[in-house]
């Protein structure tokens, strides 16, 4: 028997139900389950939904789709799957991604180890048995040596605190909790509250059929064209021949996209050259205009003003009513300092006679009434209200679960002054717990980050199993060194001067009104190097017992 299998057999004798429990069956959870099986570990996944997919299971709102090129988004670890799967659009719509993740679940027969409709309520560490007891909402408990959270970074939807929400007699939906049944907007009076990436995608789609669409915008966002298109069989065949190159490129770029900052500064080039470069970016697919722009876009105020001016003019050209155009141009933050929603004729929607834009800062929503929405100056009637009001990002999904670690100290207590981590995956005081996409991990093109996180955690598990280690906890010193690095990186970034989920602000959640360094803002290669160096040094900074 191999050392790994021996260690696993020993754990089973110790009365554990599982070697590892994974919370969540999204992209992270599915891949983690595959890896745990490869390690010969007995694993269970608990998933709150009725199907796999995570983000792509819950966010089924109209128009929901990738902002990363489809072929840079799928899993890279399975060459046969890459040969077999056909992305039909450069930026695939949600139903296609959900189908893709279901195919993965089928191919690897993952569902037999996933319990659906199983929401985890709490998890408690027991020092004596060196195990976690995971409690589900149905009252059942499950004991495991290792606990892996695969609960997503944008997965805890938040609702506004308006009075009267429950009294509304029509239909209402949050984009992040969209029903499986088709919602028909044809001939309906519809409100959309929120103009982030979810709102923008929803608005574009709803405007096509609604009798009347009123958009309630509190803060306009800088949006840029997606330039989506179909992928023919021939083009897909050609893309397949380039998969190695595509994934290599993603591994090298700043945030794992196909795009990466231009090596020039904004004012290194003449005004004509600059304009031509911005025009080119504006006419190209995907995030190039944001993450492939001049390298000082997000650090130099004058450079940022220049690009903001360019995009503002585009909005003015595309929106016929100058007053509405001005309402759609952000005034309190520069281009790219919040997440840039990518759009398809979003601005043109406001030229349609059935669409109205309301400035929710000038005329705030006072309450939801049984028949609609009352603002400070108007009472609107609606059949459907869509809440595109975002998520309690990054740590919200953690806050929904009561994690109690070593010495009875909870994760909430450990994070009372802000979430911390070691390389986004470990937390002192939470032994044997690994976070996939935890706070301060590198985000960017998410599946690339997920694959790295899952593989790093899996290698650590292989190491500890082989060495018969039963307790893994990062030292406070290593965690603080990493957090100092994270704080240092954020200095001087223009995005740190702006409220958004990326700076930890959510006005709908108490205690989350102040800006913090909520993200890792360095490059993905630098992030991976830090984590890999720790591993290469025998997991330096982690106490293995
Ligand atoms: O959420 P958001 P999202 N009254 O927080 C408004 C990813 N994503 O779901 O800006 C009135 O960005 C709020 O206003 P304000 C992506 O990373 C990816 O849209 O706070 N308005 C804002 O306009 C994205 O960044 C994809 O003033 C209220 C909106 O609601 C992240 O998810 C697609 C309000 C929330 O915007 C989150 O995007 C979709 C209130 N009380 C999402 N409360 C793709 O890959 C909130 N708002 C394509």
């Amino acid at each position: 028997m191999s050392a790994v299998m021996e260690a696993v057999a020993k754990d089973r004798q110790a009365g554990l139900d599982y070697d590892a429990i994974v919370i969540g069956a999204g992209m992270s959870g599915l891949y983690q389950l595959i890896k745990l099986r490869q390690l010969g570990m007995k694993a269970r996944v608990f998933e709150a939904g009725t199907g796999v997919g995570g983000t792509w299971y819950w966010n089924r709102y109209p128009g929901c789709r990738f902002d990363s090129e489809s072929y840079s988004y799928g899993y890279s670890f399975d060459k046969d799957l890459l040969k077999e799967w056909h992305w039909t659009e450069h930026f695939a719509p949600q139903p296609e991604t959900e189908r893709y993740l279901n195919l993965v679940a089928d191919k690897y027969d993952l569902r037999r180890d996933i319990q659906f409709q199983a929401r985890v309520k709490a998890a408690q560490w027991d020092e004596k048995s060196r195990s976690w007891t995971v409690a589900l909402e149905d009252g059942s408990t499950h004991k495991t040596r290792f606990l892996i959270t695969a609960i997503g970074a944008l997965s805890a939807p938040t609702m506004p605190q308006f009075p009267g929400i429950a009294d509304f007699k029509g239909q209402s939906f949050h984009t992040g909790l969209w029903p499986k049944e088709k919602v028909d907007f044809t001939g309906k009076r519809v409100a959309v509250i929120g103009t982030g990436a979810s709102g923008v995608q929803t608005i574009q789609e709803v405007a096509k059929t609604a009798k009347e669409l009123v958009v309630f915008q509190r803060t306009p966002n800088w949006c840029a064209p997606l330039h989506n298109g179909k992928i023919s069989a021939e083009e897909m065949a050609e893309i397949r021949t380039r998969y190695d190159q595509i994934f290599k490129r993603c591994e090298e770029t700043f945030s794992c996209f196909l795009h990466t900052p231009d090596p020039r500064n904004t004012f290194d080039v003449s005004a004509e050259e600059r304009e031509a470069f911005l025009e080119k970016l504006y006419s190209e697919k995907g995030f190039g205009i944001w993450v492939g722009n001049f390298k000082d876009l997000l650090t130099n105020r004058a450079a940022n003003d220049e690009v903001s001016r360019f995009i503002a003019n585009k909005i003015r050209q595309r929106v016929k009513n100058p007053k509405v155009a001005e309402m759609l141009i952000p005034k309190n933050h520069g281009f790219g300092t919040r997440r840039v929603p990518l759009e398809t004729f979003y601005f043109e929607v406001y030229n349609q006679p059935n669409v109205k834009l309301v400035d929710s800062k000038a005329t705030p929503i006072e309450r939801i009434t049984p028949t609609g929405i009352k603002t400070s100056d108007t009472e609107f009637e609606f059949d459907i209200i869509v809440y595109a009001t975002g998520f309690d990002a990054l740590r919200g999904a953690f806050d929904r679960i009561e994690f109690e670690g070593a010495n009875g100290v909870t994760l909430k207590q450990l994070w009372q002054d802000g979430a911390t981590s070691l390389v986004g995956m470990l937390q002192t005081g939470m032994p044997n717990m690994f976070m996939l996409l935890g706070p301060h991990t590198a985000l960017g093109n998410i599946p690339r980050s997920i694959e790295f996180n899952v593989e790093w955690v899996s290698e650590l598990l292989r190491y500890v199993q082989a060495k018969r280690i039963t307790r893994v906890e990062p030292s406070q010193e290593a965690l603080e060194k990493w957090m100092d690095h994270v704080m240092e990186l954020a200095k001087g970034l223009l995005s740190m001067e702006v409220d958004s989920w990326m700076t930890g602000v959510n006005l709908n959640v108490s205690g989350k009104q102040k800006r913090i360094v909520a993200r890792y803002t360095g490059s993905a290669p630098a992030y991976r190097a830090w984590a890999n160096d720790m591993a290469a040094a025998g997991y330096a900074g982690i106490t293995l017992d």
Side-chain angles (χ1 to χ4, degrees), residues 61 65 67 194-198 201 218-219 338-339 388 390 501 508:
Y61 60 84
R65 63 175 63 253
D67 273 351
T195 50
S198 307
Q201 290 186 330
R218 189 166 62 182
T219 313
R338 289 175 129 205
R339 159 67 147 83
W501 69 259
N508 299 320

Side-chain angles (χ1 to χ4, degrees), residues 250 253-257 259-261 291 443-446 448-449 523-525:
C250 292
T253 58
F254 192 92
S255 31
C256 307
F257 291 108
H259 319 271
T260 205
V291 296
L443 287 172
N445 191 7
I446 299 276
R448 305 283 65 80
S449 311
S523 77

Side-chain angles (χ1 to χ4, degrees), residues 32-88:
Q32 187 64 70
L33 177 56
I34 293 170
K35 291 301 257 183
L36 290 169
R37 282 192 189 160
Q38 287 170 359
L39 287 170
M41 295 174 78
K42 187 179 177 201
R44 189 78 173 151
V45 178
F46 292 120
E47 163 57 51
T50 59
V52 301
T55 286
W56 302 105
Y57 169 89
W58 296 103
N59 288 269
R60 42 183 86 235
Y61 60 84
C64 181
R65 63 175 63 253
F66 290 155
D67 273 351
S68 313
E69 285 75 0
S70 308
Y71 27 89
S72 76
Y73 193 98
Y75 289 120
S76 72
F77 69 86
D78 182 335
K79 301 279 181 233
D80 293 330
L81 183 65
L82 291 171
K83 279 188 208 139
E84 176 187 344
W85 182 258
H86 181 145
W87 293 109
T88 64

Side-chain angles (χ1 to χ4, degrees), residues 56 59 61 64-68 154 158-162 174-175 193-201 216-221 287 338-339 342 360-361 365 388-391 499 501-502 506-508:
W56 302 105
N59 288 269
Y61 60 84
C64 181
R65 63 175 63 253
F66 290 155
D67 273 351
S68 313
L154 290 151
T158 47
M159 285 289 285
Q161 305 298 312
F162 307 133
H174 189 289
T175 49
I193 304 174
T195 50
S198 307
V200 165
Q201 290 186 330
F216 293 86
Q217 171 190 264
R218 189 166 62 182
T219 313
N221 280 304
F287 273 138
R338 289 175 129 205
R339 159 67 147 83
L342 294 183
S360 286
K361 229 170 220 159
I365 296 174
T389 46
F391 301 89
D499 286 353
W501 69 259
M502 301 200 294
N506 187 323
L507 301 180
N508 299 320

